[in-house]
Amino acid sequence: MGLLLFPVGSAPMTGDRMWHFAVSVFLVELYGNSLLLTAVYGLVVAGSVLLLGALIGDWVDKNARLKVAQTSLIVQNSSVILCGVILMIIFLFKTQLLTLYHGWLLTLCYILVITIANIANLASTATAITIQRDWIVVVAGEDRSKLADMNATIRRIDQLTNILAPMAVGQIMTFGSPMIGCGFISGWNLMSMCVEYLLLWKVYQKTPTLAHKSAKVEASELKQLNAKKESDMKPAEGVQLIIEKDVSGFEPQQEKEVGCAARIAEPFITFRDGWVAYYNQPVFLAGMGLAFLYMTVLGFDCITTGYAYTQGLSGSVLSLLMGASAVTGIMGTVAFTWLRRKCGLIRTGLISGVAQLACLILCAISVFMPGSPMDLTVSPFADISARLFENEPLPTIASPEPEMIFATGIPNLLNGSIAPVNSDPEMSPEPVPLISVSLLFAGVIAARVGLWSFDLTVTQLLQENVIESERGIINGVQNSMNYLLDLLHFIMVILAPNPEAFGLLVLISVSFVAMGHIMYFRFAQKSLGKQLFVCHTPDPKTAPDSSPPGNTSTV
């Protein structure tokens, strides 16, 4: 039955990857090659998940599994389809829309596109929580080895779609047009929505346990559960027994009539209780450790890609590096399943963290190698302060050709302007040594093995140690934490956008990754005690190798 979950998970992953790649390109194309709309979209998405993650998770907990999965699936795909249609209309009639109501109608269309795209992202978050954090646990049952294999398989699919989906859309947009790309994505989501809906129904029918869901407990009861010591659990009890024990004493209560003020305050109370419940979880430190890994520029996002361009790497080289990154990510999923069988789940996280940090040392060394533009005598805020005091407008991107970027200048990471590499116009630009950037990307690519193994470790810890009635809200808050740290890393780049400061950002990123793994080490120390460094081979199906802190007798 687990095999049916893979196409259910892979189809939305493919659509998500295509849409997330394409929507940024569409917004840049629409707004005259400016990053403004893309930046607004990114800020809205991050802020929405940060504020609404707990509420989305609470909604997942309070409703039947099939209803949640079907609703989020329909809303997600319908939003993408509608957004694609609106974008096609804008591309077709942009000139006419500019003249209507002094351009306000076009501005309204931009707002509508960003709003609907944000709704699609929130629905995608709900889909990921219910399928990858809840359904998969129920389908795996008591077999933890099966759960680990299913998690690893889904992550491998995610790695492949992360490369293949943008490539497919990019080729369509290159040899066709953005409008054709919108039509293709809308058609893909329409087709995949029908297939996913049928597969969800089939999985639900063939897994009777999915129909039984523990009732969502009240906030006061949640606090009692979170305050309860996990050490009361018997050594032989597994994850499913934890769930049964925690919720067996609660019976669904009849709905009480509430006033208007109570209804208005309910989302805020849910938000507060969700974060409190997350803090009180036995795996809180492990989840925080994972979130801290998002505060980094050491990944294949627009920041690192922009820096690579300043160092003379071509687009074809970057695509090869991204492919190598996907390969090492898949290797990390394989390493996770092997290490978990040999050393247990918690120790797998420790080993993965050490491996990631060891590889990131190369990134730290690259900062001081020949070719690194790092210059501590240049203020990280020089670019911003100069523009503020001189009242210079922020220029838009002029879409320079890659050859011009490499030969004449550096694309500013904040606003896309071109800053001369050599301040003396009489001197010809010298080639930038590749030692520094080579070490940087070698470290980033190699670290993906430990990164994805660690990510899978924390994912399974949350799956196994969070009770069923809190599974949605806790994972929703975890998503909020991830987005919060990711948002902070973009703010860090905005404050220090010049290439001379990128080396400082690398060192800060390595420091945050180290802090995240220190948090995980503290969690492992509480969980395993003196047996922390005693590696043994547990029973892959029944051994409770992910016992929460305070329950060292189960290891």
Side-chain angles (χ1 to χ4, degrees):
M1 186 50 56
L3 293 175
L4 287 176
L5 273 181
F6 299 145
V8 172
S10 61
M13 282 180 193
T14 306
D16 273 352
R17 296 299 186 185
M18 286 194 297
W19 174 245
H20 289 159
F21 169 79
V23 68
S24 299
V25 178
F26 293 152
L27 292 175
V28 171
E29 182 75 19
L30 285 174
Y31 206 68
N33 290 331
S34 170
L35 289 176
L36 178 61
L37 285 183
T38 304
V40 171
Y41 170 70
L43 182 62
V44 169
V45 166
S48 298
V49 177
L50 178 60
L51 295 175
L52 302 177
L55 300 180
I56 293 172
D58 183 66
W59 174 74
V60 171
D61 287 332
K62 285 182 176 179
N63 292 275
R65 287 190 173 97
L66 185 61
K67 176 185 176 182
V68 169
Q70 291 178 337
T71 302
S72 57
L73 177 69
I74 292 174
V75 171
Q76 175 191 356
N77 287 278
S78 299
S79 299
V80 173
I81 294 170
L82 179 59
C83 214
V85 172
I86 295 175
L87 284 170
M88 291 174 68
I89 294 174
I90 295 175
F91 279 121
L92 279 173
F93 304 104
K94 184 178 179 181
T95 305
Q96 293 87 331
L97 291 172
L98 275 171
T99 59
L100 293 175
Y101 302 103
H102 304 286
W104 283 105
L105 184 58
L106 183 61
T107 302
L108 181 63
C109 290
Y110 291 154
I111 295 173
L112 191 61
V113 167
I114 292 176
T115 302
I116 298 175
N118 184 47
I119 293 173
N121 184 73
L122 293 175
S124 175
T125 301
T127 303
I129 291 174
T130 189
I131 298 297
Q132 299 180 26
R133 301 293 187 269
D134 185 28
W135 281 47
I136 191 173
V137 179
V138 178
V139 171
E142 297 287 343
D143 192 340
R144 296 186 178 190
S145 181
K146 181 179 180 182
L147 178 61
D149 291 338
M150 292 175 69
N151 283 328
T153 302
I154 288 179
R155 194 54 49 86
R156 288 168 197 149
I157 295 173
D158 182 50
Q159 288 293 302
L160 290 175
T161 56
N162 192 27
I163 297 297
L164 299 179
M167 285 177 59
V169 176
Q171 295 300 315
I172 292 173
M173 293 174 62
T174 299
F175 295 101
S177 66
M179 192 177 68
I180 295 176
C182 289
F184 175 78
I185 293 175
S186 297
W188 175 276
N189 279 270
L190 179 61
M191 179 187 67
S192 65
M193 179 174 63
C194 300
V195 175
E196 293 163 44
Y197 195 94
L198 293 175
L199 290 174
L200 278 174
W201 176 255
K202 191 170 184 180
V203 172
Y204 186 82
Q205 290 295 318
K206 294 196 173 184
T207 311
T209 50
L210 287 172
H212 305 287
K213 189 175 185 179
S214 299
K216 178 71 174 142
V217 297
E218 299 296 328
S220 59
E221 295 167 344
L222 277 179
K223 293 177 182 177
Q224 293 175 3
L225 289 176
N226 290 323
K228 207 170 187 179
K229 295 293 184 182
E230 295 291 339
S231 57
D232 295 337
M233 188 182 68
K234 296 180 182 179
E237 288 180 325
V239 175
Q240 195 64 29
L241 294 182
I242 295 175
I243 296 172
E244 293 172 357
K245 177 180 178 180
D246 281 331
V247 299
S248 59
F250 299 102
E251 296 180 359
Q253 300 177 355
Q254 295 181 352
E255 293 186 3
K256 300 178 182 179
E257 294 185 2
V258 293
C260 182
R263 291 186 181 277
I264 294 175
E266 185 179 0
F268 300 97
I269 295 174
T270 301
F271 178 84
R272 180 201 64 190
D273 292 340
W275 283 85
V276 171
Y278 177 76
Y279 174 77
N280 289 323
Q281 288 299 312
V283 291
F284 165 72
L285 286 175
M288 283 295 295
L290 176 63
F292 265 60
L293 268 56
Y294 282 77
M295 177 65 175
T296 177
V297 296
L298 301 175
F300 282 91
D301 58 4
C302 55
I303 305 301
T304 311
T305 302
Y307 174 76
Y309 275 119
T310 71
Q311 298 302 292
L313 296 186
S314 65
S316 60
V317 171
L318 278 174
S319 63
L320 292 175
L321 293 177
M322 291 182 68
S325 173
V327 172
T328 54
I330 294 173
M331 290 171 59
T333 64
V334 176
F336 163 75
T337 55
W338 183 83
L339 285 172
R340 184 201 160 275
R341 285 194 297 267
K342 296 295 182 180
C343 302
L345 186 59
I346 293 178
R347 295 183 188 86
T348 297
L350 284 174
I351 297 171
S352 302
V354 171
Q356 184 185 7
L357 281 173
C359 295
L360 291 182
I361 291 176
L362 293 176
C363 300
I365 294 174
S366 71
V367 172
F368 308 99
M369 297 301 290
S372 173
M374 182 176 178
D375 187 356
L376 296 179
T377 62
V378 178
S379 172
F381 313 104
D383 185 78
I384 295 179
S385 59
R387 295 190 181 280
L388 288 177
F389 289 109
E390 296 174 11
N391 294 322
E392 295 182 9
L394 294 177
T396 58
I397 296 177
S399 298
E401 294 297 327
E403 292 77 12
M404 183 179 70
I405 292 177
F406 302 146
T408 63
I410 294 176
N412 186 284
L413 296 179
L414 175 62
N415 53 49
S417 61
I418 301 298
V421 176
N422 197 326
S423 59
D424 189 350
E426 296 181 359
M427 297 178 62
S428 59
E430 298 180 359
V432 180
L434 297 179
I435 298 177
S436 176
V437 71
S438 298
L439 281 177
L440 175 70
F441 279 97
V444 170
I445 293 173
R448 310 298 275 190
V449 178
L451 171 65
W452 289 114
S453 180
F454 181 80
D455 178 88
L456 285 169
T457 299
V458 177
T459 296
Q460 187 154 342
L461 283 169
L462 289 168
Q463 290 171 334
E464 294 183 357
N465 291 294
V466 176
I467 63 174
E468 184 178 0
S469 61
E470 293 185 39
R471 200 175 285 157
I473 194 168
I474 297 303
N475 281 284
V477 174
Q478 180 66 52
N479 282 345
S480 297
M481 281 300 306
N482 296 345
Y483 269 91
L484 173 61
L485 272 296
D486 189 53
L487 188 61
L488 290 178
H489 116 264
F490 280 109
I491 294 175
M492 178 177 67
V493 175
I494 291 174
L495 292 176
N498 50 316
E500 291 84 359
F502 189 80
L504 186 60
L505 301 185
V506 169
L507 297 178
I508 293 174
S509 299
V510 174
S511 300
F512 267 85
V513 172
M515 285 189 286
H517 288 303
I518 289 172
M519 291 180 186
Y520 184 85
F521 177 81
R522 181 57 180 160
F523 158 78
Q525 191 178 43
K526 286 183 177 180
S527 301
L528 302 182
K530 295 181 180 180
Q531 297 182 352
L532 179 61
F533 300 106
V534 180
C535 192
H536 66 286
T537 304
D539 185 344
K541 292 188 177 182
T542 61
D545 56 357
S546 59
S547 59
N551 188 23
T552 56
S553 61
T554 62
V555 180

